[in-house]
Amino acid sequence: MGITERLARFAVETPGTAIPPQVFDAAKLRYLDTLGVMVAGSRHPASAIALDLARHLGGHPQASIVGHADRTSVELAGYVNGTSAHALEYDDYTRMVTHLNVSMVPGTLALAEQLGLSGRKMLEACAIGFQVASQVAKGLRPWLFDRGWHPNGILGAIGVAVAGGRMMGFDTLATRMAIGLAASEASGLRKNVGSMGKPFHVGHGVRCGLFAALLAARGYQVDPDIIEGVEDGIAGHDRFGMADTFNGVGNYDLAKMEEGLGTSWQLGDNVTVVRFHPGATGLASAIDGMIDLAREHDLKAEAVERIALECTPQVMSIGSYRQADDGHKARFCPPYSMAVALIDRHAGLPQYTDERVRRADVQALMQKVDVRVPDDFKAHRGQWGDGVNWGEMRLTVRLRDGREVKAARSHARGWPELPASWDDITEKFNECCAGVLPAAQAAEALACIGKLDTTDVRELIGTVRLA
C-alpha cells in the first residue's frame, strides 16, 4: 500500500468519535481567528479584485462571500474567501506545515454551506483534511520551500480536497482521485511573496481543492498514487509523482508522511502560531521586543542613531526586503517593522497600510536599521523543530546620547510557548470586524463560533456576511 492510499484510507475510515475533544476545541479557535482575518481582508484590494471577477464570471448562489452580501458558486466563494483570509498576512501558522487554516476554513465553509451540513460535520472534515495535508508537509518540507515553492496553495489544495471528500462521503478510491487532482492543480511561487500573488496562492489552492473534490465526486479518474513516484529506470512518466516533481528526485521523506497517522492530531497539538502582527511569522518576537523597549525607555525616533537586529536565517530569508513602499513588502521588511514598532509602539493592521508605510517618519528611521544573522543563530534554519527556533533574536538600539538599550527574545505572544487564549483571539476578532460588520453582528458571530460543534454552518455564515 502506497502513501497516497494510506492517507486516503485514514481520511475515509477514521470515525468522528476517534477525533479527540481537544481537536474540536482547537478547531473552533482556528475558525475564530481565520474568520476574523477573513472579514478584515474582505476590504483588501486583492479581495476586491477577486470578488469583482467572481461577479463577472457569475455562478449558482451556493456559498457566501464573507464580509459581503454576495453568494456564488462553491469554488468561486472559496477562492474569494481564501484570498481575503491571507491578504493581510494576519492568519495563523502551523509549525512544520504552513499557513494551513487559511485554506481549510474558507474551503470547508463553502462546501459545508452548500451541502447544508452541521458545524460538527464540518469541524470533523477540517480536522481530517488538516491532518492529511500536515502529513504530506512533513515529508516534503523543507525542500519544498527551499526550491522556491510557496507551500500554502500546494498543501492547502490537498487538505481542502480531502476535507471535501469527507463531507461528501467519498470512499477510498474517490479520495485518492481528489488528492491526485489537487496535486496536479496546486502551485505557488515564492517570488510572488510581497505582492497580491501570495493571497492569490491561497485562494487558488482553496479553489483547486474544491474543484478536485467536485470532479472526483463525479467519477473523474486520475493516477491513484499521485504522491509517490515509481523508479522505473528510464525516468518515464511514472517516475514523477508529486514528491519528485515539486521537490526534485529524492528530496523528500515518504516515511514521515506516515508518522503518527491516526494517533497524533496536528490541529489539536500546541503547534499553531497565532499572529498578532501582520507579516513574516518569525519576525514577531523582534516586533514584541521593540515595542517593549520603546515603551520601557520612552524611545523617540529623533533620538535614535542606529538599530541593530540580530535574527535567524529563516527570518532573513522570509523577511528578505530591506526597503518597502507599500503594505505588501512592508510585511516582509524587518527594517520597516522595527521602525514602525518603535514609533507607534504597536504593529497591527493600521501600521501596514500603504499610507503608513510611505510616511516620512518611518521611511527615515528604517534607513537606520541594520539586520544580520550572527554565527550562533545560523543553526536556526529549516524546519521549525529539532532545536530550530525562527524567533531567536537580539535587538540593540543605540541613541544619539551614547546610551544603548537592548532586548533578547525567543518567542512572541501567540506562539505555542505563549499561547493565545479564546479571549486574546476574541480581541483580535473584534479588531478585524470593526468597520466591516456591525458590532452586534460581530458579537453574534462570536457566539455562533463558540457553539459551532452544536449548530448549523448556514447559521454561522449568516453572521459573517452582509444582508
Side-chain angles (χ1 to χ4, degrees), residues 62-359:
Q62 300 167 325
S64 301
I65 305 297
V66 170
H68 296 276
D70 299 73
R71 299 184 77 242
T72 186
S73 65
V74 168
E75 68 273 17
L76 283 177
Y79 166 64
V80 176
N81 289 335
T83 300
S84 295
H86 200 53
L88 297 172
E89 283 293 337
Y90 209 18
D91 51 285
D92 67 29
Y93 180 92
T94 300
R95 290 178 176 175
M96 311 288 284
V97 184
T98 189
H99 304 270
L100 194 51
N101 288 302
V102 78
S103 299
M104 298 305 305
V105 172
T108 53
L109 274 172
L111 189 56
E113 179 186 0
Q114 192 250 335
L115 295 173
L117 296 184
S118 68
R120 179 80 178 190
K121 286 293 184 183
M122 182 180 71
L123 292 173
E124 180 183 298
C126 182
I128 294 287
F130 192 101
Q131 190 62 38
V132 169
S134 296
Q135 299 290 144
V136 174
K138 291 175 185 178
L140 295 184
R141 299 199 69 178
W143 302 279
L144 185 68
F145 185 83
D146 289 344
R147 282 176 63 87
W149 294 107
H150 181 215
N152 294 25
I154 297 167
L155 299 169
I158 290 175
V160 170
V162 170
R166 177 80 180 203
M167 287 189 282
M168 290 190 284
F170 282 8
D171 61 16
T172 300
L173 183 59
T175 303
R176 292 164 77 182
M177 295 301 118
I179 295 172
L181 286 160
S184 282
E185 293 177 286
S187 64
L189 304 180
R190 279 180 59 191
K191 198 165 190 301
N192 267 325
V193 173
S195 74
M196 289 185 184
K198 196 165 188 281
F200 167 78
H201 296 161
V202 174
H204 176 68
V206 174
R207 181 181 61 185
C208 288
L210 291 168
F211 200 63
L214 293 169
L215 280 174
R218 286 156 175 78
Y220 208 96
Q221 299 292 304
V222 294
D223 191 296
D225 298 306
I226 200 64
I227 296 174
E228 56 269 40
V230 177
E231 297 183 18
D232 58 7
I234 60 172
H237 300 306
D238 282 348
R239 165 75 274 181
F240 294 100
M242 178 187 183
D244 286 306
T245 301
F246 279 108
N247 283 22
V249 174
N251 295 323
Y252 50 83
D253 190 341
L254 297 183
K256 284 188 176 181
M257 296 187 189
E258 294 188 55
E259 288 181 3
L261 186 62
T263 59
S264 176
W265 291 88
Q266 197 87 6
L267 194 57
D269 292 342
N270 184 29
V271 291
T272 295
V273 170
V274 175
R275 291 198 279 185
F276 288 105
H277 310 304
T281 307
L283 189 59
S285 57
I287 295 174
D288 278 357
M290 178 59 86
I291 291 171
D292 287 350
L293 277 181
R295 290 173 176 171
E296 180 182 352
H297 299 282
D298 193 23
L299 299 179
K300 306 295 184 184
E302 57 271 19
V304 173
E305 181 178 309
R306 297 300 298 174
I307 297 171
L309 171 63
E310 296 181 317
C311 63
T312 63
Q314 205 72 15
V315 168
M316 184 75 85
S317 174
I318 298 175
S320 60
Y321 299 114
R322 295 296 167 264
Q323 301 293 329
D325 59 6
D326 63 34
H328 288 293
K329 280 191 167 56
R331 286 165 164 80
F332 301 94
C333 176
Y336 174 80
S337 287
M338 293 300 93
V340 81
L342 186 150
I343 295 170
D344 290 5
R345 303 179 188 185
H346 189 69
L349 293 176
Q351 280 67 44
Y352 292 88
T353 63
D354 290 352
E355 184 276 332
R356 183 65 187 101
V357 172
R358 292 166 183 161
R359 278 169 50 187

Side-chain angles (χ1 to χ4, degrees), residues 355-423:
E355 184 276 332
R356 183 65 187 101
V357 172
R358 292 166 183 161
R359 278 169 50 187
D361 60 345
V362 74
Q363 284 290 325
L365 184 57
M366 65 188 285
Q367 307 308 317
K368 299 179 180 181
V369 180
D370 297 317
V371 184
R372 73 180 190 93
V373 178
D375 288 342
D376 58 327
F377 284 1
K378 288 181 179 178
H380 292 280
R381 177 173 178 79
Q383 289 288 332
W384 204 333
D386 298 325
V388 174
N389 176 17
W390 296 358
E392 293 287 351
M393 76 87 185
R394 288 190 290 263
L395 190 60
T396 301
V397 180
R398 176 182 290 275
L399 302 174
R400 292 184 181 277
D401 63 9
R403 290 184 299 136
E404 287 186 347
V405 294
K406 299 184 178 185
R409 281 178 180 254
S410 299
H411 310 99
R413 187 169 67 97
W415 290 16
E417 296 78 10
L418 300 167
S421 67
W422 180 270
D423 288 344

